[in-house]
Every structure is written in C-alpha cells, then in structure tokens.
Amino acid sequence: MVMVFSIPCADDWRYRHAGLMAISAIGEGCYKQMEAVINEIVSTVLPFLTDSHPRVRYAACNAIGQLSTDFASSFQKKFHAKVGYITYICELVKNVF
C-alpha cells in the first residue's frame, strides 16, 4: 500500500494514471486488506479529480466508481459527504473531451 500513497509524488501523468487504475483493479481481490485503509485510499484518490491531465481525472473517476462498487456495503455510509458531489464530478468529466 506504500506505492498507492506515493502516487501524488509522480510528475509524469502516466504514473498517476497507472496508480489510479491499479487501485481500481485491486479493490475486489484485496477487499480485506484495503478495507483497513479505505479512508486513506479515498483521500488519496479524490484530489486527482482535479488533476491537470484528463486521463488522470478519468482514472480518478474510474477508481471512485470501482471502489464504490467493491465496497458497496460501507462506501456510501462512510464517504457520502466526500463523493456526494456527483454534479461536480460530471462537470470534470465534461472537460475531458
């Protein structure tokens, strides 16, 4: 999980994108391990919704969506205030194209 938290340090957008896509991919298989640090993971992913690169913003949206699916039983209860601004996210996605 140390690598996950070092994503913000990457200057190259491709590393940020890859890190976020990795988070998206491992949620289901690593549920027990990630559940213990889900607060930190969500806090790490959210700032990337405003990243300067559109592919990184897309990857952040994808990660939030996948986490909300993989952790459906608790995600909404824990993070509704943080990710409840779906209108804002939709505006960001519009800027991708």
Side-chain angles (χ1 to χ4, degrees):
M1 293 311 284
V2 172
M3 291 300 291
V4 170
F5 299 119
S6 66
I7 295 170
C9 300
D11 291 329
D12 189 335
W13 71 267
R14 293 172 291 193
Y15 290 103
R16 297 190 309 271
H17 179 268
L20 290 165
M21 294 306 286
I23 291 171
S24 298
I26 64 172
E28 187 175 2
C30 299
Y31 181 86
K32 289 181 182 178
Q33 294 81 3
M34 288 179 72
E35 189 173 35
V37 291
I38 192 69
N39 291 334
E40 291 87 355
I41 294 171
V42 172
S43 294
T44 300
V45 171
L46 286 176
F48 290 104
L49 293 171
T50 58
D51 193 87
S52 61
H53 199 281
R55 290 185 184 178
V56 175
R57 291 193 306 264
Y58 166 81
C61 287
N62 187 67
I64 293 295
Q66 192 61 49
L67 289 170
S68 66
T69 299
D70 295 339
F71 297 90
S73 60
S74 63
F75 192 88
Q76 187 174 0
K77 292 175 187 171
K78 289 182 180 179
F79 304 110
H80 71 278
K82 288 186 178 183
V83 296
Y85 50 91
I86 196 72
T87 308
Y88 176 68
I89 294 171
C90 290
E91 286 301 314
L92 289 173
V93 173
K94 284 182 190 177
N95 294 330
V96 172
F97 301 103

